[in-house]
Amino acid sequence: MNNYIECNLNNIKKNIYELSIKYKRNFSDITIVAVSKYQEYEKINTAYSYGQIDFGENYIQEWQEKVNFFQDNLPNLNWHIIGNLQKNKAKYLTDKVYCLQSLDSVELAKEIEKKGKFEKKLKVLIQLQVDKNDQNKSGISIEQAQILRDYICKSSKISFAGFMGIGPLNAETSKRKDLYYSFIQNAKTLWNETDSNNLQPILSLGMSSDYEEALECGSNMLRIGTAIFGARNKL
Ligand SMILES: *Cc1c(COP(=O)(O)O)cnc(C)c1O
């Protein structure tokens, strides 16, 4: 029934494999996050059965419903929260979150510090601005990111794992690549100023329509929704 999901996953992986050779990257260093917002439970089940481990959700309530639905039936599944999170929702973050990719303020970090319910530290990415002229204005500036980074590094409940960025909706390929190269450069600089113990940062950049460019520019985590699952039910 959902055969196309297997087919899409295989095609994307084959494509990434070929690009990783072309750009001299390690295929095994590249993670695909299957973005399952507004997608049916059944599709998540199907992707999981074909070996997909990492899934991304934007909305806390929808994510909670999915966690409740699957209970512990999909062991080892990693849930990534990739959508903007309001401060008053910090209390819903639990150990079921594998990574919060959309951390974008010290205020939110403080709220997580206060209200989050975890046994182990919550892995987070700082959502860094890709294009300061982008209308959506998503992500924070380098200066803000420095302050947030320093806060996270001292936190007892949050662990710093890298950066996430959302590219502009519309941009010519060459412009897009310029933005992505700077994003990766800025992220690495911010990372290298920390006591990172030679660990490499997660660099989460690229979606269905631009993951090839993102990969070329140095991304190691691609967040792919519609190219795996097809069109979403809402939006
Ligand atoms: C929805 C979404 C994606 C996936 O978008 P597609 O175009 O369906 O691949 C990736 N990242 C974020 C932050 C999203 O909100």
Side-chain angles (χ1 to χ4, degrees):
M1 197 175 69
N2 289 325
N3 279 347
Y4 65 93
I5 291 179
E6 181 189 23
C7 193
N8 288 343
L9 276 170
N10 285 340
N11 286 338
I12 291 167
K13 279 186 216 161
K14 183 164 171 282
N15 198 12
I16 294 173
Y17 180 74
E18 284 163 3
L19 291 168
S20 69
I21 292 172
K22 184 170 168 193
Y23 300 126
K24 301 190 170 51
R25 303 281 304 284
N26 239 332
F27 177 66
S28 60
D29 290 345
I30 296 155
T31 303
I32 301 172
V33 176
V35 177
S36 47
K37 63 166 175 248
Y38 293 147
Q39 302 283 4
E40 290 140 24
Y41 300 138
E42 192 50 40
K43 292 186 179 181
I44 295 175
N45 222 348
T46 303
Y48 181 84
S49 72
Y50 290 120
Q52 180 61 36
I53 296 287
D54 292 275
F55 289 83
E57 288 284 337
N58 287 59
Y59 309 101
I60 282 288
Q61 196 185 341
E62 184 185 349
W63 167 71
Q64 284 181 316
E65 285 166 10
K66 284 172 173 159
V67 168
N68 289 336
F69 178 83
F70 288 116
Q71 300 283 336
D72 295 322
N73 292 327
L74 309 178
N76 306 321
L77 185 154
N78 296 332
W79 289 114
H80 298 248
I81 301 296
I82 63 173
N84 185 264
L85 187 71
Q86 286 167 330
K87 266 192 311 189
N88 62 3
K89 303 268 172 76
K91 56 177 184 269
Y92 299 121
L93 297 171
T94 64
D95 285 312
K96 297 270 184 207
V97 179
Y98 174 75
C99 180
L100 171 66
Q101 297 204 8
S102 45
L103 186 59
D104 61 358
S105 73
V106 172
E107 290 69 35
L108 177 58
K110 281 184 179 161
E111 203 60 20
I112 296 172
E113 189 79 13
K114 238 193 287 173
K115 302 272 174 63
K117 301 179 190 75
F118 329 103
E119 301 275 314
K120 53 182 190 325
K121 278 189 173 184
L122 174 70
K123 196 198 282 239
V124 300
L125 308 184
I126 291 179
Q127 188 176 343
L128 186 64
Q129 195 172 62
V130 174
D131 179 3
K132 62 175 182 301
N133 299 315
D134 188 23
Q135 290 159 354
N136 296 326
K137 294 243 188 309
S138 67
I140 58 178
S141 69
I142 294 173
E143 293 72 28
Q144 290 169 311
Q146 282 171 331
I147 297 169
L148 178 54
R149 174 199 65 192
D150 295 343
Y151 179 84
I152 300 169
C153 290
K154 282 189 239 134
S155 154
S156 59
K157 283 198 188 171
I158 313 176
S159 83
F160 184 35
F163 298 87
M164 185 268 261
I166 302 177
L169 213 49
N170 301 303
E172 284 181 18
T173 306
S174 64
K175 167 79 176 158
R176 186 177 294 280
K177 282 201 225 168
D178 286 346
L179 290 169
Y180 288 4
Y181 275 121
S182 327
F183 172 88
I184 298 289
Q185 243 5 86
N186 293 335
K188 284 184 175 168
T189 305
L190 284 163
W191 179 262
N192 289 334
E193 288 162 2
T194 65
D195 188 8
S196 57
N197 294 323
N198 295 325
L199 278 173
Q200 290 304 309
I202 294 174
L203 301 165
S204 172
L205 181 69
M207 319 203 272
S208 292
S209 59
D210 63 350
Y211 74 87
E212 299 190 7
E213 288 98 336
L215 203 60
E216 180 177 352
C217 298
S219 163
N220 58 24
M221 183 172 277
L222 311 169
R223 306 178 310 269
I224 304 181
T226 46
I228 294 174
F229 296 114
R232 287 182 271 275
N233 290 331
K234 290 188 223 163
L235 268 179

